[in-house]
Tab-separated table of all heavy atoms in Angstrom:
chain	number	residue	atom	x	y	z
R	7	SER	N	-44.670	-78.976	-51.902
R	7	SER	CA	-45.396	-78.052	-51.054
R	7	SER	C	-46.472	-77.313	-51.908
R	7	SER	O	-46.110	-76.809	-53.016
R	7	SER	CB	-44.455	-76.983	-50.451
R	7	SER	OG	-45.148	-76.039	-49.758
R	9	LYS	N	-48.768	-74.274	-52.368
R	9	LYS	CA	-48.853	-72.948	-51.838
R	9	LYS	C	-49.812	-72.070	-52.649
R	9	LYS	O	-50.195	-72.445	-53.801
R	9	LYS	CB	-47.479	-72.289	-51.941
R	9	LYS	CG	-46.375	-72.971	-51.189
R	9	LYS	CD	-45.091	-72.290	-51.394
R	9	LYS	CE	-43.959	-72.937	-50.638
R	9	LYS	NZ	-42.720	-72.246	-50.719
R	115	GLY	N	-41.684	-85.263	-40.429
R	115	GLY	CA	-41.067	-85.635	-41.622
R	115	GLY	C	-40.052	-84.668	-42.210
R	115	GLY	O	-39.661	-84.820	-43.417
R	116	ILE	N	-39.601	-83.699	-41.482
R	116	ILE	CA	-38.607	-82.759	-42.023
R	116	ILE	C	-37.246	-83.443	-41.900
R	116	ILE	O	-36.848	-83.926	-40.854
R	116	ILE	CB	-38.619	-81.430	-41.258
R	116	ILE	CG1	-39.970	-80.701	-41.486
R	116	ILE	CG2	-37.426	-80.554	-41.705
R	116	ILE	CD1	-40.131	-79.392	-40.774
R	117	ASP	N	-36.502	-83.406	-42.998
R	117	ASP	CA	-35.093	-83.918	-43.017
R	117	ASP	C	-34.184	-82.729	-42.696
R	117	ASP	O	-33.742	-82.042	-43.603
R	117	ASP	CB	-34.808	-84.498	-44.389
R	117	ASP	CG	-33.460	-85.183	-44.467
R	117	ASP	OD1	-32.579	-84.883	-43.621
R	117	ASP	OD2	-33.253	-85.981	-45.377
R	118	ASP	N	-33.948	-82.541	-41.418
R	118	ASP	CA	-33.158	-81.402	-40.955
R	118	ASP	C	-31.818	-81.306	-41.740
R	118	ASP	O	-31.405	-80.198	-42.122
R	118	ASP	CB	-32.833	-81.472	-39.434
R	118	ASP	CG	-34.071	-81.173	-38.618
R	118	ASP	OD1	-35.215	-81.292	-39.087
R	118	ASP	OD2	-33.900	-80.826	-37.412
R	119	ALA	N	-31.144	-82.394	-41.894
R	119	ALA	CA	-29.795	-82.386	-42.510
R	119	ALA	C	-29.850	-81.977	-43.986
R	119	ALA	O	-28.912	-81.396	-44.454
R	119	ALA	CB	-29.133	-83.740	-42.303
R	120	ALA	N	-30.910	-82.324	-44.665
R	120	ALA	CA	-31.032	-82.040	-46.081
R	120	ALA	C	-31.543	-80.621	-46.335
R	120	ALA	O	-31.383	-80.130	-47.453
R	120	ALA	CB	-31.929	-83.063	-46.744
R	121	CYS	N	-32.150	-79.996	-45.360
R	121	CYS	CA	-32.667	-78.608	-45.545
R	121	CYS	C	-31.505	-77.660	-45.639
R	121	CYS	O	-30.410	-77.915	-45.029
R	121	CYS	CB	-33.578	-78.183	-44.381
R	121	CYS	SG	-35.104	-79.116	-44.261
R	122	ARG	N	-31.651	-76.564	-46.264
R	122	ARG	CA	-30.555	-75.528	-46.330
R	122	ARG	C	-30.272	-75.002	-44.940
R	122	ARG	O	-29.164	-74.827	-44.532
R	122	ARG	CB	-30.934	-74.468	-47.281
R	122	ARG	CG	-29.772	-73.664	-47.785
R	122	ARG	CD	-29.985	-72.814	-49.008
R	122	ARG	NE	-31.226	-71.955	-48.957
R	122	ARG	CZ	-32.257	-72.135	-49.784
R	122	ARG	NH1	-32.250	-73.033	-50.748
R	122	ARG	NH2	-33.290	-71.359	-49.695
R	123	GLU	N	-31.340	-74.727	-44.194
R	123	GLU	CA	-31.195	-74.211	-42.809
R	123	GLU	C	-32.436	-74.503	-42.038
R	123	GLU	O	-33.563	-74.332	-42.530
R	123	GLU	CB	-30.929	-72.713	-42.864
R	123	GLU	CG	-30.795	-72.086	-41.512
R	123	GLU	CD	-30.654	-70.562	-41.550
R	123	GLU	OE1	-30.059	-70.045	-42.526
R	123	GLU	OE2	-31.162	-69.885	-40.635
R	124	VAL	N	-32.261	-74.900	-40.762
R	124	VAL	CA	-33.412	-75.019	-39.828
R	124	VAL	C	-33.036	-74.355	-38.537
R	124	VAL	O	-31.836	-74.384	-38.116
R	124	VAL	CB	-33.831	-76.497	-39.587
R	124	VAL	CG1	-34.344	-77.166	-40.804
R	124	VAL	CG2	-32.692	-77.315	-38.982
R	125	GLN	N	-33.953	-73.742	-37.901
R	125	GLN	CA	-33.814	-73.172	-36.584
R	125	GLN	C	-34.977	-73.700	-35.728
R	125	GLN	O	-36.107	-73.590	-36.157
R	125	GLN	CB	-33.848	-71.663	-36.592
R	125	GLN	CG	-32.672	-71.057	-37.324
R	125	GLN	CD	-32.771	-69.551	-37.362
R	125	GLN	OE1	-33.625	-68.949	-36.730
R	125	GLN	NE2	-31.879	-68.901	-38.112
R	141	TYR	N	-40.083	-75.836	-35.040
R	141	TYR	CA	-39.244	-75.036	-35.927
R	141	TYR	C	-39.622	-73.541	-35.849
R	141	TYR	O	-40.792	-73.172	-35.919
R	141	TYR	CB	-39.331	-75.543	-37.354
R	141	TYR	CG	-38.851	-76.946	-37.511
R	141	TYR	CD1	-39.665	-78.070	-37.278
R	141	TYR	CD2	-37.504	-77.191	-37.854
R	141	TYR	CE1	-39.198	-79.324	-37.403
R	141	TYR	CE2	-37.019	-78.469	-38.022
R	141	TYR	CZ	-37.860	-79.526	-37.777
R	141	TYR	OH	-37.388	-80.807	-37.912
R	143	SER	N	-37.776	-71.580	-38.048
R	143	SER	CA	-37.510	-71.302	-39.448
R	143	SER	C	-37.061	-72.557	-40.151
R	143	SER	O	-36.279	-73.336	-39.620
R	143	SER	CB	-36.417	-70.166	-39.561
R	143	SER	OG	-36.004	-70.013	-40.891
R	144	VAL	N	-37.510	-72.741	-41.423
R	144	VAL	CA	-37.094	-73.833	-42.276
R	144	VAL	C	-36.850	-73.216	-43.632
R	144	VAL	O	-37.758	-72.713	-44.268
R	144	VAL	CB	-38.099	-74.966	-42.353
R	144	VAL	CG1	-37.564	-76.070	-43.305
R	144	VAL	CG2	-38.375	-75.542	-40.972
R	145	ILE	N	-35.581	-73.258	-44.074
R	145	ILE	CA	-35.269	-72.739	-45.448
R	145	ILE	C	-34.768	-73.925	-46.249
R	145	ILE	O	-33.921	-74.692	-45.818
R	145	ILE	CB	-34.142	-71.684	-45.310
R	145	ILE	CG1	-34.687	-70.461	-44.455
R	145	ILE	CG2	-33.695	-71.172	-46.706
R	145	ILE	CD1	-33.630	-69.466	-44.116
R	146	GLY	N	-35.319	-74.000	-47.472
R	146	GLY	CA	-34.918	-75.111	-48.354
R	146	GLY	C	-35.494	-76.396	-47.826
R	146	GLY	O	-34.797	-77.450	-47.791
R	147	LEU	N	-36.764	-76.423	-47.510
R	147	LEU	CA	-37.425	-77.590	-46.912
R	147	LEU	C	-37.207	-78.867	-47.723
R	147	LEU	O	-37.364	-78.866	-48.930
R	147	LEU	CB	-38.975	-77.327	-46.844
R	147	LEU	CG	-39.848	-78.500	-46.340
R	147	LEU	CD1	-39.539	-78.849	-44.910
R	147	LEU	CD2	-41.321	-78.068	-46.454
R	148	ARG	N	-36.881	-79.943	-47.013
R	148	ARG	CA	-36.746	-81.227	-47.566
R	148	ARG	C	-37.455	-82.271	-46.683
R	148	ARG	O	-37.329	-82.210	-45.463
R	148	ARG	CB	-35.287	-81.658	-47.796
R	148	ARG	CG	-34.547	-80.869	-48.830
R	148	ARG	CD	-35.104	-81.091	-50.207
R	148	ARG	NE	-34.559	-80.227	-51.203
R	148	ARG	CZ	-35.207	-79.169	-51.727
R	148	ARG	NH1	-36.416	-78.876	-51.325
R	148	ARG	NH2	-34.638	-78.413	-52.644
R	149	ILE	N	-38.133	-83.204	-47.284
R	149	ILE	CA	-38.914	-84.233	-46.626
R	149	ILE	C	-38.039	-85.493	-46.487
R	149	ILE	O	-37.385	-85.868	-47.411
R	149	ILE	CB	-40.196	-84.566	-47.382
R	149	ILE	CG1	-41.056	-83.335	-47.602
R	149	ILE	CG2	-41.004	-85.689	-46.750
R	149	ILE	CD1	-41.522	-82.678	-46.309
R	150	ASP	N	-38.158	-86.118	-45.273
R	150	ASP	CA	-37.525	-87.426	-45.060
R	150	ASP	C	-38.539	-88.465	-45.535
R	150	ASP	O	-39.467	-88.785	-44.834
R	150	ASP	CB	-37.217	-87.557	-43.548
R	150	ASP	CG	-36.493	-88.885	-43.266
R	150	ASP	OD1	-36.576	-89.815	-44.104
R	150	ASP	OD2	-35.929	-88.942	-42.167
R	151	ARG	N	-38.332	-88.976	-46.710
R	151	ARG	CA	-39.287	-89.875	-47.355
R	151	ARG	C	-39.519	-91.130	-46.551
R	151	ARG	O	-40.594	-91.760	-46.612
R	151	ARG	CB	-38.827	-90.197	-48.767
R	151	ARG	CG	-39.065	-89.017	-49.736
R	151	ARG	CD	-38.101	-89.116	-50.922
R	151	ARG	NE	-38.359	-88.004	-51.891
R	151	ARG	CZ	-38.025	-86.766	-51.693
R	151	ARG	NH1	-37.450	-86.407	-50.551
R	151	ARG	NH2	-38.282	-85.833	-52.570
R	162	LEU	N	-46.598	-80.910	-41.555
R	162	LEU	CA	-45.375	-81.307	-40.848
R	162	LEU	C	-45.426	-80.927	-39.380
R	162	LEU	O	-45.764	-79.744	-39.031
R	162	LEU	CB	-44.180	-80.661	-41.511
R	162	LEU	CG	-43.941	-81.165	-42.935
R	162	LEU	CD1	-43.014	-80.171	-43.709
R	162	LEU	CD2	-43.363	-82.549	-42.952
R	165	TRP	N	-43.841	-77.531	-37.970
R	165	TRP	CA	-43.796	-76.571	-39.068
R	165	TRP	C	-45.049	-76.789	-39.913
R	165	TRP	O	-44.974	-77.269	-41.057
R	165	TRP	CB	-42.536	-76.728	-39.891
R	165	TRP	CG	-42.238	-75.674	-40.858
R	165	TRP	CD1	-42.288	-75.755	-42.244
R	165	TRP	CD2	-41.863	-74.299	-40.602
R	165	TRP	NE1	-41.955	-74.581	-42.813
R	165	TRP	CE2	-41.654	-73.638	-41.848
R	165	TRP	CE3	-41.624	-73.576	-39.424
R	165	TRP	CZ2	-41.295	-72.342	-41.944
R	165	TRP	CZ3	-41.238	-72.286	-39.517
R	165	TRP	CH2	-41.078	-71.654	-40.760
R	168	PRO	N	-46.863	-75.455	-44.404
R	168	PRO	CA	-47.024	-75.986	-45.764
R	168	PRO	C	-47.939	-77.210	-45.777
R	168	PRO	O	-47.944	-77.997	-44.834
R	168	PRO	CB	-45.609	-76.367	-46.131
R	168	PRO	CG	-44.812	-76.436	-44.909
R	168	PRO	CD	-45.543	-75.595	-43.856
R	170	ILE	N	-48.218	-80.570	-47.725
R	170	ILE	CA	-47.315	-81.416	-48.588
R	170	ILE	C	-48.176	-82.421	-49.327
R	170	ILE	O	-48.997	-83.145	-48.675
R	170	ILE	CB	-46.282	-82.118	-47.712
R	170	ILE	CG1	-45.499	-81.135	-46.788
R	170	ILE	CG2	-45.310	-82.923	-48.636
R	170	ILE	CD1	-44.756	-80.049	-47.494
R	190	GLU	N	-43.988	-76.597	-55.200
R	190	GLU	CA	-42.525	-76.532	-55.097
R	190	GLU	C	-42.059	-77.822	-54.529
R	190	GLU	O	-42.511	-78.306	-53.467
R	190	GLU	CB	-42.134	-75.374	-54.180
R	190	GLU	CG	-40.658	-75.234	-54.017
R	190	GLU	CD	-40.366	-74.048	-53.082
R	190	GLU	OE1	-40.883	-72.950	-53.294
R	190	GLU	OE2	-39.546	-74.232	-52.137
R	191	GLU	N	-41.125	-78.482	-55.233
R	191	GLU	CA	-40.632	-79.771	-54.754
R	191	GLU	C	-39.879	-79.660	-53.418
R	191	GLU	O	-39.111	-78.742	-53.230
R	191	GLU	CB	-39.746	-80.453	-55.768
R	191	GLU	CG	-39.362	-81.866	-55.391
R	191	GLU	CD	-38.823	-82.718	-56.518
R	191	GLU	OE1	-38.587	-82.205	-57.617
R	191	GLU	OE2	-38.647	-83.988	-56.297
R	192	VAL	N	-40.181	-80.572	-52.531
R	192	VAL	CA	-39.560	-80.549	-51.210
R	192	VAL	C	-38.960	-81.935	-50.957
R	192	VAL	O	-38.492	-82.263	-49.978
R	192	VAL	CB	-40.523	-80.138	-50.089
R	192	VAL	CG1	-40.922	-78.685	-50.257
R	192	VAL	CG2	-41.706	-81.048	-50.034
Side-chain angles (χ1 to χ4, degrees):
S7 174
K9 301 177 179 184
I116 296 178
D117 185 340
D118 287 20
C121 294
R122 200 164 48 243
E123 177 185 326
V124 296
Q125 294 178 8
Y141 296 87
S143 172
V144 178
I145 299 171
L147 175 65
R148 292 294 172 256
I149 300 300
D150 183 342
R151 286 157 177 73
L162 296 162
W165 190 250
I170 309 300
E190 179 180 310
E191 188 163 7
V192 294

